[in-house]
Amino acid sequence: EVQLVQSGAEVKKPGESLKISCKGSGYSFTSYWIGWVRQMPGKGLEWMGIIYPGDSDTRYSPSFQGQVTISADKSISTAYLQWSSLKASDTAMYYCAVVITTHAFDIWGQGTMVTVSS
Amino acid sequence: DIQMTQSPSSLSASVGDRVTITCQASQDISNYLNWYQQKPGKAPKLLIYDASNLETGVPSRFSGSGSGTDFTFTISSLQPEDIATYYCQQYDNLLLTFGPGTKVDIK
């Protein structure tokens, strides 16, 4: 079974750093693009960026370029989303999702809630 | 970037009604358009890919059509379990954009 399992909820203070994870299983992790999607409370879906774990080719939405870093460790089939200095406006649910059989996000992780508050 | 608009932003319909949502891209995206369903507190779920292809396991009351800049998503007979927000999403050369979403509920 293809599955993406994300790390647990985080509560952080403004200015702190954070790295959340997304572990893939049941498929060839290095062969398919994995993306990250933000959903702020009560709002819609926003595509942040996407990475090809096979060669770490990464593309960012212009809205998120320079604000976050997407990476992957193919040795442990895990993708990451990280911030160097969190802001209150980073409070959101973050989903990872993989493009496998179609040109779409076929499989989604369960989401990681990030709360940034002083 | 390619911008996506959806209409309506919300709708209320009766069980059994035909429901139609439209999605418009700011430039030609061929058929590079997907539709997702998101129920409250859940991750999104892919329903339609490449504008008109039904994802495996998705009920046939869901359908999609269109190409270029104008796309349509239809629920042929609304069911109570279809209460959700629906998003279109384009993919153009690995730069993706979601539409703002359409919230569907039961009248």
Side-chain angles (χ1 to χ4, degrees):
Chain A
E1 178 196 7
V2 176
Q3 207 172 6
L4 296 175
V5 178
Q6 297 186 229
S7 50
E10 301 274 2
V11 179
K12 296 294 221 179
K13 293 186 179 347
E16 291 186 331
S17 62
L18 176 64
K19 192 174 190 177
I20 63 175
S21 66
C22 169
K23 183 173 176 60
S25 62
Y27 72 100
S28 175
F29 182 78
T30 55
S31 301
Y32 302 98
W33 292 87
I34 290 184
W36 288 94
V37 176
R38 183 176 80 173
Q39 188 166 40
M40 299 175 76
K43 302 298 184 183
L45 305 173
E46 300 174 89
W47 175 70
M48 302 176 72
I50 196 164
I51 186 167
Y52 189 77
D55 61 5
S56 293
D57 184 4
T58 307
R59 316 291 173 88
Y60 291 94
S61 161
S63 300
F64 291 93
Q65 180 84 48
Q67 307 304 308
V68 296
T69 301
I70 293 170
S71 60
D73 184 340
K74 54 189 180 184
S75 69
I76 54 171
S77 300
T78 300
Y80 300 98
L81 176 65
Q82 68 180 89
W83 295 259
S84 59
S85 180
L86 287 160
K87 303 184 282 287
S89 57
D90 293 317
T91 294
M93 180 71 82
Y94 292 88
Y95 294 101
C96 62
V98 65
V99 180
I100 295 193
T101 58
T102 69
H103 297 127
F105 288 132
D106 313 78
I107 303 296
W108 292 68
Q110 83 276 20
T112 296
M113 185 66 207
V114 174
T115 303
V116 183
S117 173
S118 54
Chain B
D1 335 357
I2 297 175
Q3 305 302 316
M4 307 300 292
T5 57
Q6 271 183 250
S7 62
S9 57
S10 65
L11 67 88
S12 189
S14 300
V15 172
D17 280 356
R18 184 180 185 88
V19 168
T20 299
I21 299 168
T22 63
C23 178
Q24 187 169 59
S26 59
Q27 64 189 68
D28 190 336
I29 57 170
S30 184
N31 68 331
Y32 301 151
L33 193 283
N34 306 312
W35 291 95
Y36 300 86
Q37 174 193 65
Q38 187 181 31
K39 296 183 178 180
K42 300 293 187 183
K45 174 187 174 183
L46 176 65
L47 299 181
I48 302 286
Y49 64 94
D50 295 347
S52 60
N53 294 293
L54 194 67
E55 173 71 338
T56 302
V58 173
S60 59
R61 64 180 180 275
F62 297 100
S63 65
S65 65
S67 67
T69 60
D70 295 301
F71 301 86
T72 300
F73 172 82
T74 300
I75 308 173
S76 61
S77 176
L78 186 68
Q79 300 301 304
E81 60 267 31
D82 300 336
I83 301 313
T85 301
Y86 294 85
Y87 296 91
C88 61
Q89 174 245 313
Q90 68 81 26
Y91 56 96
D92 172 57
N93 215 17
L94 290 175
L95 293 177
L96 287 64
T97 318
F98 286 95
T102 296
K103 188 173 182 180
V104 174
D105 64 27
I106 299 286
K107 193 181 294 181

